[in-house]
């Protein structure tokens, strides 16, 4: 295993200490594993997100003005525990309640559910918004439902902006759910990733093959295919996304081309070029975009596409000021 | 079963998980996210530490503390599922000692907790596919008037059979379900750790019976 | 070769088209391969940088308010040609002259030198600031001199801020040179990278070895060593940097922990944690920092450290507003 | 040498570079940045295109245009170095035809351009280590009154010998110098492409002499 680490068990604590040193504006509770904005905002709805580590900058990189109030990082690819989530809620609740933003994985869902019960017992009003945007997984009784992936960034940004403007808990939860409902993702990987604990790649992939329909936890995808040009890969991903959420000429979208950790930025721009061309053909407007590494899967070479069919509220909240390590504008 | 035996059992799970950590992670790597071994190891090491200077009055208290520790240290799907199960088992054992029928009822409460939280059914390729047959075998022995040791051995054998039976299943719950048909042909990591939980129960009881006999 | 591309020859043009689509605030001349700010700033010194592609976000990602006026991307790992540089200078010269920021590689130096001559013939005042911060390479008659790597970001940011404030060409060139003189870098790689044209990794590296003292063009390093924990790798890099530029208690620095393209962000934070600890021991102040992928080498797993001994001018110019795809604050 | 021969030479370089593109890139991969083959290919393809409908009066004009095209399409170190060299060679050949002594002088101007721009000396493990011996051999033949063909063959042989002699050298210029002692044991890509430039000159002249003879 080739990694810039000291020991697999120490990665999370040391990374948290690095985050604390790099971003003095954030408060990092290394003991409880909570990254939060410095001070509690009285009267503001607080957004708390969390999930396994290994997806950086998600979630700690999105803590700050106009986005999350706190993030709870678990061990690599492991949901955080309820105690962290409760500690986070207690640290940032300003009396207006807390929105838990939860990616749809059994572990995340169960731990956040327990945390919500515990927080309620502490007198904190809690709402939960589930993110489940990955169309590679069918939402059926045959699965644990769709995975939460790239749309998390859209949900956190847009709901965070509304909370910053002073909206109440119900309204913030509602827009979070609306953004999720309007968003779809699909991902393709060219290589497996290696977790510090396991020390080897999750799967072997021949030099001329790719995994289609992967998640963000290093698992294999829905199917294995021969490697194809970027144009065809984008077409596959867009077909899956549009089959589930049709878009017509004039629709406005927010599009994210997200690197899974090991993909050079120049390739992400090639991919974005293909999407822009495909959408231009259809008359679909890419009103806003992100191209970069936002929701990663350690060192996996891969790319995920997320498309949100955005209404005017979402676009204006997207444009609102944000000041976090990984997303910043207007301030 | 008494409080010492309960503690010994948890220690034995921790030792078994330590020994099989890489195997569990490897199984999880094939159809999950390669953390089940480290998750279980983190949780049961913490449980052993938590129990070290804990002197409870009831068998159940040992297991409730174990469950609470798992919930607060494991994370992932297995943390709440195992943690909730151990808490449910413990809550059903509010006495200093417990007999075969009492343990059978407690184990049933554990399974109920897992199913309530995770909503999985037998055949979904989860820990339930080891747990449910283990419980059935244990209950059958209890109903036949067997002693704890015998019931636990039957449960461990059934758990291991259930564990092996997950290999041809297609997962319908947990991360492995994302793989669809590609989950077929791999043994479920959670069923594998559940088999360890039942095997160590049988071993702990056997070791205790032996030391009794030797005395 | 596993890449999200259509064809090796098309990568640069398609990536440029993707950059144009993703950043409507930039003007991308795909024909001349020039990325520039939308409009010429009359009376403002213009900063033009450039170099081979494959280092994204460098340089195109640093074009915008408070930083570069234009960037000329060459083919992957190949210096751009003089024609691009002259076209860029012509596009952005606002009458106050142009500063060429050039990383010290034979190709970049020769092509920019020719461009400077041609631009002068066109009546444009040109100054050149050379970046040569990589202490892995001795600056002697035995080499082509030190390579220009991470310090480029510091030079572009700080000189860009001074130009934005209206300083003259000589002053902007002077601060660029001062920042370079105050900066040192050192890099370590765990894997080779693969250029689209060659299609295979530049070198083979056993599972337990690393290349120490690498550049940003996929070349092997100064030496090969056994892989070591992050703490020791950081010590090696800092020793090399501090041997060349001693720092004493109370000195203020800007530190960049830069991923070479294939390194997960969580590892970069582990590395930053180690540097912060080492500097805290010495009493050296990390006044500002960057942790992320800023100067990459395609998909290479590796990390570079850059340390700038910053004076008060540099720190205040660092804090000045910047609005580019890859660096943004204050606006 | 006349304008047709000059054009044929440039076309022959382009064909040779096309054929050896991967080899040049591979050599550059070992001690550089794996782009020399594509750089040369891009440049000489562009030169062939630029010359396609160009009807110049002098040998030199063909080569100046070639050099200018290289400068505007290659980039990297080799672009200005080869581009400047071809421009210098061309500028020295301002006549419709050129004899062996004229070509020798022009080639010397080419080397001077490379050395002026790149400041490398023989032994630094660069294209100069193929170019300088090639020029010396050419000049020697010219001084001995040899014809162009003979001089060019001697130059090509010497260039190839010089190219091979770069293998044991430690680089002191260009990217390979960053490797220090690790640059030893690898043949320099630029010296290799320079050997192609001289070999194709000899071959173009031989083919032209043959077709003359056949006529
Ligand atoms: N809904 C569920 N009900 C019962 N068991 C489950 C469920 N989901 C997952 N599991 C079990 O959890 C195991 C995975 O645990 P672990 O790897 O620790 O957590 P995670 O899946 O969050 O990474 C699976 O192998 C399976 O046996
Ligand atoms: N200063 C120099 N003088 C002469 N030749 C040089 C010099 N620097 C580099 N070269 C030649 O250029 C070759 C590399 O060319 P190329 O790979 O196209 O450019 P780059 O090194 O910019 O990637 C080297 O093999 C060497 O022969
Ligand atoms: Mg997990
Ligand atoms: Mg798992
Ligand atoms: Mg190059
Ligand atoms: Mg090269």
């Amino acid at each position: 295993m080739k990694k810039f680490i000291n020991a697999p068990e120490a990665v999370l604590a040391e990374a948290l200490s690095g985050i604390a040193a790099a971003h003095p504006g954030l408060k990092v509770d290394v003991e409880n594993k909570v990254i939060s904005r410095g001070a509690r905002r009285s009267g503001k709805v607080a957004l708390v997100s969390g999930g396994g580590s290994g997806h950086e900058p998600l979630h700690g990189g999105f803590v700050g003005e106009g986005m999350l109030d706190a993030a709870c990082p678990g061990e690599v690819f492991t949901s955080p525990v309820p105690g962290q989530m409760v500690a986070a809620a207690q640290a940032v609740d300003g009396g207006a309640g807390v929105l838990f933003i939860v990616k749809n994985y059994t572990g995340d869902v169960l731990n956040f559910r327990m945390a919500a019960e515990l927080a309620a017992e502490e007198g904190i009003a809690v709402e939960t918004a589930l993110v489940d945007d990955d169309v590679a997984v069918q939402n059926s009784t045959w699965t644990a439902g769709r995975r939460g992936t790239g749309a998390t960034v859209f949900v956190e940004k847009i709901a965070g902006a509304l909370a910053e403007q002073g909206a109440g808990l119900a309204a913030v939860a509602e827009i979070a759910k609306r953004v999720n409902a309007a968003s779809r993702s699909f991902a393709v990987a060219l290589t497996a990733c290696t977790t510090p604990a396991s020390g080897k790649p999750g799967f072997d992939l021949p030099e001329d093959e790719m995994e289609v329909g992967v998640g963000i936890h290093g698992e294999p995808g829905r199917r294995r295919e021969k490697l194809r040009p970027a144009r065809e890969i984008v077409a596959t991903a867009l077909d899956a996304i549009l089959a589930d959420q049709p878009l017509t000429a004039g629709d406005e979208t927010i599009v994210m081309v997200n690197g899974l950790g090991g993909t050079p930025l120049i390739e992400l721009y090639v991919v974005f070029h293909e999407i822009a061309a495909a959408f231009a053909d259809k008359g679909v407007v890419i009103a806003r975009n992100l191209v970069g590494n936002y929701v990663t899967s350690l060192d996996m070479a891969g790319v995920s596409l997320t498309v949100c069919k955005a209404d005017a509220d979402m676009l204006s909240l997207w444009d609102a000021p944000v000041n976090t390590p990984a997303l910043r504008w207007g301030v | 079963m008494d409080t010492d035996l309960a503690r010994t059992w948890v220690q034995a799970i921790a030792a078994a998980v330590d020994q099989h950590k890489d195997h569990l992670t490897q199984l999880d790597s094939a159809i999950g996210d390669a953390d089940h071994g480290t998750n279980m190891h983190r949780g049961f090491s913490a449980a052993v530490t938590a129990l070290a200077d804990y002197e409870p009055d009831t068998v159940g208290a040992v297991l409730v503390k174990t469950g609470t520790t798992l919930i607060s240290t494991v994370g992932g799907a297995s943390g709440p599922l195992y943690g909730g199960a151990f808490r449910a088992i413990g809550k059903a054992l509010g006495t200093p000692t417990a007999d075969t029928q009492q343990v059978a009822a407690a184990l049933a409460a554990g399974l109920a907790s897992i199913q309530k939280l995770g909503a999985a059914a037998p055949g979904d390729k989860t820990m339930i596919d080891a747990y449910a047959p283990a419980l059935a075998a244990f209950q059958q022995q209890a109903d036949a008037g067997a002693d704890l040791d015998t019931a636990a051995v039957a449960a461990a054998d059934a758990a291991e059979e259930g564990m092996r039976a997950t290999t041809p299943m297609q997962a319908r719950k947990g991360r492995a379900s994302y793989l669809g048909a590609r989950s077929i042909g791999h043994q479920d990591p959670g069923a594998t750790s559940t088999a360890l939980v039942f095997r160590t129960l049988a071993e702990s009881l056997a070791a205790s019976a032996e030391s009794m006999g030797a005395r």
Side-chain angles (χ1 to χ4, degrees), chain A, chain B:
Chain A
M1 170 177 49
K2 300 193 132 182
K3 294 194 177 296
F4 292 102
I5 63 174
N6 292 306
E9 320 76 64
V11 169
L12 180 53
E14 291 179 353
L16 282 175
S17 146
I19 290 172
H23 308 292
L26 298 180
K27 191 174 150 199
V28 179
D29 177 347
V30 178
E31 171 76 27
N32 281 310
K33 295 184 207 134
V34 174
I35 301 170
S36 66
R37 288 171 73 172
R40 184 189 309 276
R41 263 85 191 159
S42 173
K44 176 188 163 303
V45 170
L47 273 68
V48 172
S49 191
S53 292
H55 308 302
E56 291 68 25
L58 191 82
H59 296 275
F62 299 125
V63 175
E65 181 183 344
M67 213 160 163
L68 298 179
D69 291 271
C72 317
E75 293 292 327
V76 170
F77 292 171
T78 302
S79 158
V81 297
Q84 282 174 268
M85 300 158 181
V86 174
Q90 286 173 326
V92 298
D93 177 35
V98 174
L99 178 68
F100 282 167
I101 297 174
V102 183
K103 298 191 298 306
N104 187 36
Y105 299 98
T106 306
D108 295 68
V109 168
L110 295 182
N111 283 285
F112 266 107
R113 192 191 299 162
M114 289 189 171
E117 284 165 19
L118 294 169
E121 287 171 19
E122 303 285 325
I124 301 174
V126 175
E127 285 275 352
T128 296
L130 200 68
V131 182
D132 61 345
D133 54 316
D134 182 358
V135 296
V137 175
Q138 301 296 317
N139 195 357
S140 78
T141 50
W142 291 82
T143 67
R146 281 182 173 163
R147 294 175 287 217
T149 59
T152 317
V153 179
F154 295 175
V155 170
E156 292 177 359
K157 168 67 185 84
I158 292 172
L162 190 66
E164 202 73 47
Q165 292 176 3
L169 182 56
V172 174
E174 194 264 340
I175 192 113
K177 288 169 193 175
R178 244 167 70 205
V179 172
N180 177 59
S183 300
R184 301 290 186 282
S185 295
F186 193 92
V188 173
L190 306 183
T191 66
C193 65
T194 301
T195 65
S198 92
K200 24 181 202 269
F203 51 83
D204 285 323
L205 196 52
E207 184 55 28
D208 61 340
E209 295 187 3
M210 60 183 175
E211 287 282 343
V212 177
V214 297
I216 54 171
H217 294 89
E219 67 273 57
R222 297 291 294 187
R223 56 183 189 275
R224 197 169 271 200
E225 291 184 6
K226 287 282 169 219
L227 188 61
R228 284 178 288 137
R231 187 163 306 135
E232 295 175 26
I233 295 173
V234 165
T236 298
L238 283 182
D239 284 352
I241 287 171
L242 297 181
D244 203 81
Q245 158 104 320
L247 293 171
T248 51
D251 282 347
E252 294 199 298
T253 61
I254 308 175
V255 169
M256 177 167 74
V257 171
N258 173 59
L260 294 183
T263 304
L265 186 52
I266 193 169
E267 295 177 33
L268 300 183
Y269 278 118
V270 169
V271 168
F272 189 73
H273 152 76
E274 293 300 341
I275 296 168
F279 274 22
D281 274 356
K282 292 183 207 300
V284 172
V285 179
I286 302 181
R288 306 289 185 276
N289 72 81
L290 290 177
V291 179
N293 290 343
Y294 294 98
V295 182
T296 59
S297 187
L298 292 173
D299 54 343
M300 181 174 262
V303 68
S304 73
L305 312 185
T306 303
V307 177
C308 173
K309 182 174 166 182
D311 60 27
D313 289 350
M314 295 177 195
L315 290 178
S316 106
L317 290 165
W318 182 261
D319 292 340
V322 60
N323 182 357
T324 72
L327 270 199
R328 182 166 177 177
W329 54 75
V331 58
Chain B
M1 180 185 276
D2 59 12
T3 56
D4 276 354
L5 195 278
R7 188 199 311 268
T8 305
W9 178 27
V10 175
Q11 287 164 344
I13 300 174
V17 161
D18 187 30
Q19 199 189 324
H20 294 90
K21 190 171 68 158
D22 291 347
H23 178 54
L24 293 174
T25 289
Q26 201 182 304
L27 292 173
D28 197 29
S29 175
I31 54 171
D33 58 352
D35 63 354
H36 190 57
T38 35
N39 287 349
M40 296 294 286
H41 182 252
R42 189 171 54 250
F44 279 95
S45 305
V48 167
T49 306
L51 295 179
D53 44 9
Y54 183 57
E55 293 296 347
D57 296 331
T58 65
V59 175
V62 173
L63 301 177
V64 168
K65 189 165 202 81
T66 298
T68 307
T69 306
L70 294 179
I71 290 174
S72 67
T73 56
V74 174
S78 53
L81 293 171
Y82 274 122
F86 273 90
R87 281 174 56 86
I89 296 170
K91 282 184 187 165
L93 294 173
T95 46
T97 60
D99 64 17
T100 314
Q101 278 294 1
Q102 281 176 293
V103 173
L107 289 174
L111 178 62
S113 164
I114 295 174
Q115 289 196 283
K116 179 158 178 267
L117 268 180
D124 284 355
K125 195 179 183 112
T126 70
M127 52 176 70
I128 286 176
D129 292 310
Y131 199 128
L135 172 62
F138 194 101
Q139 186 68 60
Q140 198 186 342
Q141 292 293 331
D143 292 347
D147 63 8
L148 255 173
D149 303 34
T150 313
V153 169
D157 290 347
E160 282 163 11
E161 201 177 309
M163 163 191 96
R164 282 188 295 269
T166 61
T167 303
M169 294 176 184
Q170 173 166 342
R172 280 190 292 244
K173 281 283 180 276
R175 294 178 184 288
S177 71
Y178 304 142
L179 293 184
R182 291 179 81 184
S183 63
I184 293 170
H186 301 276
Q187 184 172 305
D188 181 60
T192 309
S193 56
T194 292
L196 291 179
V197 166
F198 281 98
R199 178 57 63 197
T200 50
L201 176 59
E203 286 169 354
S204 303
L205 286 162
S208 141
E210 208 171 284
S211 74
M212 300 282 204
R215 233 177 263 159

